[in-house]
Amino acid sequence: MALITLRQLLDHAAENNYALPAFNVNNLEYIQAVMRAADATDSPVILQASRGARAYAGDAFLRHLILGAAEEYPHIPICLHLDHGDQPSTCISAITNGFTSVMMDGSLLADGKTVASYDYNVAVTAEVVKFAHAAGVSVEGELGCLGNLETGAGEKEDGHGFEGKLSREELLTDPEQAFDFVEKTGVDALAVAIGTSHGAYKFTRAPDGEILSIETIAKIHKRLPNTHMVMHGSSSVPQDLQDLFNEFGGKMKQTWGVPVSEIQKAIPLGVRKVNIDTDLRLAFTGEIRKHHLQQPDNFDPRNYLKPATARMVEVCKERFQAFNTAGQASKIRIKRLPEMAKAYSKTV
């Protein structure tokens, strides 16, 4: 089965009122975990790689791992998505390496830390949309900066995140500006700022409307009812995974992520893609810590990678089921990139 574009998956999700977890992947075990969970639940898949993941694994290795997943699971639609492209050239390199979807994050300048002007964001995102759509590839844009509403600070991930502090208004995507942005750029999906942030330390208490603004999503959806929204920084950081990590030698301070229940509230409001990374990292590392302490004589990596991968499988299954992604893979008909390019050309 060929790889699928993000636009096709999100269109199907909108038509059938579900969302897709988008899992950041870095190596073989991450990809195996997502695919095994997808196979068990009949779920379509978004595998996304950040610039950090591409630098760590290498584009050629990532590309062939994904092609291997497509060959092993031909019945599962798979989107290969670039997470947080920092400039058009990064998106071009992803497309030439087989990515079927790219994110142009123009909310920050190419240095990944300086807040960009609105005009800059529009210009670079529209540029990427133009050449990506010509190749049939989907584009996700971002409006507003991801940051903590409690502190006003950004959170760096793979070197990406603004420096300093922003006001609450600056940290929440403006619905009217969102309408203008989508009209001017033609993006297939819009990542919005609602108080989520990258990494594990999202909130110092269970989030409420003051620090996690689902209301902002509702307002944007009312203004843009046909636009697919994306929630970044949306790992739930479950307590059992924090406990697993700490029980076997970790020193992670208490934290709160984005509750699955809050994500479920956002799905009927137009959220179709939910980015998850920390939850898999915690599951993977926690199981490895456990194995090393319980079996200190082992030196065969397979003996600890197997349970670590199995724990990630369970996390992925839970998200597929919670977001109603389960049962949808077999209902999707894939359009190849030339078909998508032709469809895009008719809308210009």
Side-chain angles (χ1 to χ4, degrees):
M1 178 175 280
L3 299 181
I4 192 170
T5 64
L6 182 68
R7 181 58 183 260
Q8 294 173 72
L9 289 181
L10 301 191
D11 282 349
H12 189 268
E15 291 166 5
N16 295 277
N17 197 29
Y18 68 94
L20 293 104
F23 296 106
N24 282 73
V25 296
N26 302 277
N27 59 19
L28 170 65
E29 286 74 26
Y30 276 67
I31 294 169
Q32 286 179 326
V34 177
M35 295 310 302
R36 289 171 185 171
D39 183 49
T41 59
D42 186 32
S43 300
V45 165
I46 301 172
L47 298 174
Q48 57 185 28
S50 65
R51 288 178 293 116
R54 294 173 69 189
Y56 170 78
D59 280 343
F61 281 100
L62 279 175
R63 179 172 69 253
H64 286 285
L65 285 171
I66 302 301
L67 291 176
E71 184 177 338
E72 187 77 12
Y73 300 93
H75 54 293
I76 301 294
I78 304 170
C79 171
L80 177 55
H81 177 74
L82 170 68
D83 190 25
H84 287 290
D86 59 341
Q87 54 192 315
S89 60
T90 304
C91 297
I92 292 173
S93 69
I95 293 171
T96 58
N97 276 284
F99 284 66
T100 55
S101 177
V102 295
M103 178 190 186
M104 178 62 235
D105 183 359
S107 68
L108 301 177
L109 297 181
D111 63 8
K113 62 182 181 181
T114 304
V115 177
S117 69
Y118 177 69
D119 289 343
Y120 170 88
N121 193 354
V122 169
V124 294
T125 305
E127 179 185 351
V128 171
V129 168
K130 184 176 181 179
F131 64 68
H133 282 184
V137 171
S138 305
V139 180
E140 175 186 331
E142 180 167 318
L143 184 61
C145 292
L146 297 185
N148 190 311
L149 289 178
E150 289 183 279
T151 65
E155 296 288 341
K156 281 191 177 295
E157 186 78 2
D158 285 339
H160 187 95
F162 70 86
E163 294 184 340
K165 292 189 176 183
L166 297 175
S167 69
R168 181 180 179 86
E169 289 70 28
E170 291 172 312
L171 287 170
L172 295 174
T173 300
D174 177 75
E176 287 304 318
Q177 196 173 63
F179 180 87
D180 185 68
F181 184 82
V182 171
E183 285 284 302
K184 289 179 176 176
T185 63
V187 290
D188 299 285
L190 179 66
V192 295
I194 60 168
T196 58
S197 56
H198 293 137
Y201 302 105
K202 304 180 189 302
F203 308 108
T204 62
R205 56 185 172 87
D208 56 23
E210 285 299 309
I211 57 177
L212 177 63
S213 183
I214 300 300
E215 180 185 9
T216 296
I217 291 175
K219 291 177 179 178
I220 296 170
H221 183 57
K222 184 176 181 179
R223 192 70 179 90
L224 289 163
N226 299 315
T227 294
H228 306 311
M229 279 184 279
V230 181
M231 285 178 63
H232 280 241
S234 292
S235 282
S236 298
V237 199
Q239 189 63 50
D240 65 317
L241 293 183
Q242 293 184 54
D243 293 342
L244 173 68
F245 182 85
N246 287 331
E247 181 181 353
F248 297 98
K251 294 183 179 179
M252 183 178 187
K253 64 183 181 182
Q254 180 64 50
T255 185
W256 282 263
V258 181
V260 169
S261 60
E262 292 298 302
I263 298 171
Q264 290 171 324
K265 291 177 184 177
I267 293 173
L269 301 175
V271 167
R272 301 297 166 207
K273 176 174 176 278
V274 182
N275 288 13
I276 296 170
D277 189 356
T278 296
D279 289 351
L280 296 191
R281 293 185 183 192
L282 272 177
F284 192 64
T285 306
E287 282 293 339
I288 290 175
R289 283 185 175 278
K290 177 181 178 181
H291 181 91
H292 286 336
L293 282 176
Q294 292 184 340
Q295 301 184 47
D297 61 330
N298 174 62
F299 54 86
D300 184 345
R302 292 171 296 183
N303 289 338
Y304 56 79
L305 291 175
K306 287 179 182 178
T309 302
R311 179 59 75 104
M312 288 195 292
V313 170
E314 293 308 308
V315 173
C316 294
K317 282 183 182 178
E318 290 171 3
R319 300 301 178 271
F320 283 134
Q321 292 162 349
F323 302 164
N324 294 322
T325 325
Q328 300 294 339
S330 54
K331 301 175 184 178
I332 298 171
R333 185 185 78 81
I334 291 181
K335 293 180 182 178
R336 305 293 292 267
L337 292 185
E339 287 184 82
M340 291 300 296
K342 186 176 181 180
Y344 281 131
S345 68
K346 293 179 180 179
T347 64
V348 175

